[in-house]
Amino acid sequence: MSERKTIQSYEWARVLGALAVVCLHAVVATRLVPELHQGNAALFLAEDVLCVPLTRWAVPVFFMVSGALLLDPGRQMTLEKVGRYVWRMAFILLTIGFAFCVMELVASFGFYGLLTFQAAFLNLLQGLSWGHLWYVYALIGLYLITPILSAYVRVATQRDLAIVALVGYALLCVAPTIDLVAGTKLYAFLGTGSPVVYYLAGYYASTYLELDAKVIGAGALALAANLVAFAFDPELASQLALPEYAFALPFSVLAFVAIRSLLERPMRERGLARTLARDSFGIYLLHPLFGHVILRVPALVTLPLPVLQLTIVVVGVAGSVVLTRLLRLLPPFASKL
């Protein structure tokens, strides 16, 4: 695949992934409102099932796109470049992440001046900002180990990479899955390392995999197993769809390879897709803010659930694009969002 086509397919992955994440969080945010959950239990269950194939691949694919790009042997990942990547994520956490921490404390306990800022900064250091920012923390870790991984993939054979990826998958995804299903707490901590598996899988898939029967079969089997689990334990099945568990990787690899193989069409320079691609990181970071605001407006919460969720999605995407563009007018944010 030419460089142009590869870049275009990854741009489409960013657009579709950002939209998928916003849709997923619209479902999650409304389900956390007790009044909405009690009156729409059946609809929420149906949405949870649909969210697995339609949205749960998104964040894993983000990691895979990063791995495909940054582990490419043709790209020189010097310590200076790594430092710039790490600083970008750290800056996002110290600004947007810190602001989210302050908002959460004020909403929960009120404003107590300097104590609120101190507590917010402590939460930020502990990774206790808004839940979706775990992706930013994970990227910092991946960037830091990129020179080591990059040096390895330059000398590794396809078989070597496959073995390392499978061992990583077994340790960091399969073991926590067995732990979760068994109800034990022995291996749950291993799930925090799952982004490394997706990072390596992105490079491996971009280099060696095609959209063939093996990739389709493995992805379809994992997806089917996850969906069947909803018939027995919907809450457990929803957890099993998370990236740190075993079902997500095969299906996400299928999504990644399918996007890379099928979406090679260049975006129109002034089209909606191009706009969303340019602002996809901002959309990911900022969209929950608009959902929280909407769910605090009584008149909007009384809307039929699908209408309310659609409102959260549309306002979340549009509002995030506008806010991202405004933040870029500030010099420190210009190259960060």
Side-chain angles (χ1 to χ4, degrees):
M1 182 178 292
S2 70
E3 183 180 358
R4 176 177 176 80
K5 290 181 179 179
T6 299
I7 292 175
Q8 290 299 322
S9 64
Y10 293 166
E11 291 294 286
W12 283 109
R14 292 187 178 100
V15 171
L16 296 176
L19 294 176
V21 168
V22 177
C23 291
L24 173 63
H25 288 171
V27 173
V28 173
T30 50
R31 186 173 57 235
L32 294 176
V33 179
E35 305 90 313
L36 293 175
H37 187 253
Q38 292 171 4
N40 298 278
L43 180 56
F44 275 120
L45 177 58
E47 289 179 337
D48 286 344
V49 174
L50 287 174
C51 277
V52 177
L54 297 181
T55 71
R56 291 294 187 178
W57 53 268
V59 173
V61 166
F62 289 159
F63 285 130
M64 284 190 273
V65 168
S66 295
L69 293 173
L70 299 185
L71 296 180
D72 182 350
R75 181 187 292 261
Q76 295 296 321
M77 285 300 294
T78 64
L79 292 180
E80 181 182 357
K81 285 185 179 180
V82 170
R84 288 202 299 268
Y85 281 118
V86 170
W87 168 238
R88 181 191 180 200
M89 294 300 108
F91 177 85
I92 292 299
L93 290 176
L94 291 169
T95 54
I96 294 172
F98 179 68
F100 285 170
C101 287
V102 172
M103 291 178 195
E104 189 167 22
L105 289 174
V106 171
S108 300
F109 307 107
F111 182 67
Y112 290 91
L114 183 59
L115 288 176
T116 296
F117 292 114
Q118 291 174 338
F121 187 67
L122 182 60
N123 284 346
L124 182 71
L125 292 179
Q126 297 179 87
L128 299 177
S129 188
W130 290 5
H132 72 300
L133 291 185
W134 74 274
Y135 171 71
V136 179
Y137 288 93
L139 281 179
I140 292 177
L142 291 175
Y143 292 153
L144 289 173
I145 64 173
T146 291
I148 298 172
L149 294 178
S150 182
Y152 173 72
V153 300
R154 282 192 177 91
V155 300
T157 65
Q158 179 180 357
R159 182 174 180 273
D160 293 336
L161 285 170
I163 291 173
V164 169
L166 287 173
V167 170
Y169 174 62
L171 291 176
L172 303 178
C173 298
V174 176
T177 301
I178 296 172
D179 197 41
L180 177 67
V181 173
T184 57
K185 300 294 182 181
L186 298 176
Y187 309 110
F189 71 96
L190 292 173
T192 58
S194 62
V196 178
V197 180
Y198 292 100
Y199 203 55
L200 283 171
Y203 171 74
Y204 185 89
S206 67
T207 306
Y208 299 113
L209 296 184
E210 300 292 340
L211 190 61
D212 56 20
K214 291 181 180 179
V215 171
I216 294 173
L221 182 62
L223 174 61
N226 199 164
L227 295 179
V228 167
F230 276 93
F232 301 94
D233 190 335
E235 184 176 349
L236 176 62
S238 292
Q239 287 185 274
L240 289 173
L242 296 175
E244 58 263 40
Y245 298 115
F247 291 148
L249 180 67
F251 177 64
S252 299
V253 168
L254 171 58
F256 175 82
V257 174
I259 291 171
R260 181 172 166 270
S261 301
L262 303 177
L263 292 179
E264 301 176 355
R265 178 181 177 182
M267 299 173 178
R268 290 189 303 164
E269 184 60 30
R270 298 183 180 275
L272 177 60
R274 177 65 68 186
T275 296
L276 296 179
R278 288 171 177 162
D279 299 330
S280 59
F281 187 47
I283 292 170
Y284 180 88
L285 291 173
L286 300 170
H287 75 273
L289 177 63
F290 298 93
H292 283 295
V293 171
I294 288 172
L295 290 175
R296 287 179 174 271
V297 180
L300 294 177
V301 177
T302 59
L303 291 171
L305 182 60
V307 176
L308 173 61
Q309 291 171 333
L310 180 60
T311 301
I312 291 174
V313 170
V314 173
V315 174
V317 172
S320 297
V321 170
V322 171
L323 186 52
T324 297
R325 299 294 177 91
L326 290 175
L327 285 173
R328 285 197 189 123
L329 296 177
L330 302 175
F333 283 95
S335 61
K336 304 298 192 303
L337 279 178

